[in-house]
Amino acid sequence: MSHHNSPPSCGSHDLLPSINVAEKERVASVMGGAAILGYGLYLRSGVTPLFALLGGLLIRRGLTGRCSAYRRMGVDTTKPKCDSGVQDGEGSRVEKAIAIDRTPTEVYEFWRDLENLPKFMPHLKSVKVLSPHVSHWIVEGPTGLLEWDAEIINEHPGSMLAWQTMPGADVQSAGTVRFEPLDGGQRTKVTVVLKFDPPAGALGEIVAKIFGESPDQQLEEDLGRFKVLLETNPVMETMNQG
């Protein structure tokens, strides 16, 4: 009686690293890599080694779905995210502050109505309040719509609001906004601290910074629009007169 044991074939899929980059990240990586190569050509000096290397890495990452940096860190974004917010030691942190010529109560109440946020954050397509502490966010991303639910985890009316994304979010994030009185309470210092894991990881952050669309810059511009909106909003004037 003969036994046939199939020998392992050369180039077996078991020898290949498994895919560890989620579909949306892969699309973003290819688009970002192509944009970097195109930008390098636009500079008229040809694609420099830096642009060629970074663009090539992103395109390969997107086409193969494999990221060696993720593998070294034990990260696999194809798996469902079961954590809330951003875990300690992970993600990126951004902090910005601005002074607004409105009282802390006025500024806080406008922000606390979360459906107001798209009025000064253009990247936000919508925020829908589902319950007193849970809301659904939709953001226009480079590869389409990104969605998540967020929950308010700490709140001191008139002075502080803290939130984090719930499990399953396309983008994991957490943040705090503080409203501090200035000039005897006639003005407000608004300080926003954001912590987040970008969809395309560290390479995605590099791409954003090259093209001047970093989260740091975006938050600064959002707060600038927030200031203009509150200081020129006729509804706020009516409230003060009342």
Side-chain angles (χ1 to χ4, degrees):
M1 182 176 182
S2 62
H3 297 278
H4 297 282
N5 294 322
S6 300
S9 60
C10 294
S12 169
H13 289 295
D14 291 336
L15 300 179
L16 290 175
S18 59
I19 291 175
N20 60 358
V21 181
E23 187 67 27
K24 288 185 178 180
E25 268 191 75
R26 294 177 65 177
V27 175
S29 294
V30 172
M31 293 177 64
I36 287 175
L37 291 176
Y39 185 66
L41 290 171
Y42 175 76
L43 296 178
R44 298 182 181 180
S45 58
V47 181
T48 65
L50 174 61
F51 283 107
L53 175 62
L54 184 55
L57 284 174
L58 279 170
I59 291 174
R60 186 180 69 178
R61 182 179 189 267
L63 293 178
T64 65
R66 299 179 176 91
C67 177
S68 58
Y70 273 6
R71 188 160 291 107
R72 288 193 295 271
M73 296 184 294
V75 174
D76 185 346
T77 60
T78 64
K79 296 178 180 178
K81 299 172 183 174
C82 300
D83 297 320
S84 298
V86 180
Q87 303 306 299
D88 291 340
E90 297 182 2
S92 302
R93 185 181 185 277
V94 176
E95 179 174 347
K96 290 292 179 181
I98 197 167
I100 298 178
D101 293 336
R102 295 293 181 191
T103 67
T105 298
E106 291 173 318
V107 180
Y108 166 84
E109 288 181 352
F110 191 90
W111 190 295
R112 182 60 179 84
D113 183 355
L114 301 178
E115 295 186 1
N116 281 328
L117 298 183
K119 295 178 180 178
F120 60 92
M121 297 181 177
H123 53 287
L124 271 180
K125 188 173 180 66
S126 71
V127 177
K128 182 178 181 180
V129 174
L130 304 178
S131 72
H133 292 94
V134 177
S135 53
H136 184 73
W137 297 51
I138 301 179
V139 174
E140 189 75 49
T143 61
L145 297 180
L146 302 173
E147 301 186 42
W148 62 82
D149 287 339
E151 61 179 338
I152 293 174
I153 56 175
N154 197 2
E155 180 176 10
H156 297 286
S159 62
M160 189 271 282
L161 197 64
W163 70 92
Q164 66 180 14
T165 51
M166 300 175 72
D170 284 341
V171 181
Q172 291 180 291
S173 64
T176 303
V177 56
R178 298 185 183 278
F179 309 88
E180 303 173 54
L182 298 173
D183 299 334
Q186 297 306 304
R187 304 173 68 232
T188 305
K189 178 183 178 183
V190 179
T191 303
V192 180
V193 177
L194 291 178
K195 195 173 180 184
F196 59 94
D197 268 339
L203 286 176
E205 288 187 77
I206 295 172
V207 174
K209 289 177 180 177
I210 288 176
F211 292 98
E213 298 175 355
S214 69
D216 185 83
Q217 176 185 343
Q218 190 175 75
L219 179 57
E220 184 173 359
E221 292 174 353
D222 287 345
L223 287 179
R225 283 186 288 266
F226 183 49
K227 174 182 173 70
V228 171
L229 178 62
L230 287 195
E231 293 181 351
T232 61
N233 191 340
V235 174
M236 306 294 288
E237 295 291 349
T238 302
M239 289 173 58
N240 285 338
Q241 293 172 5

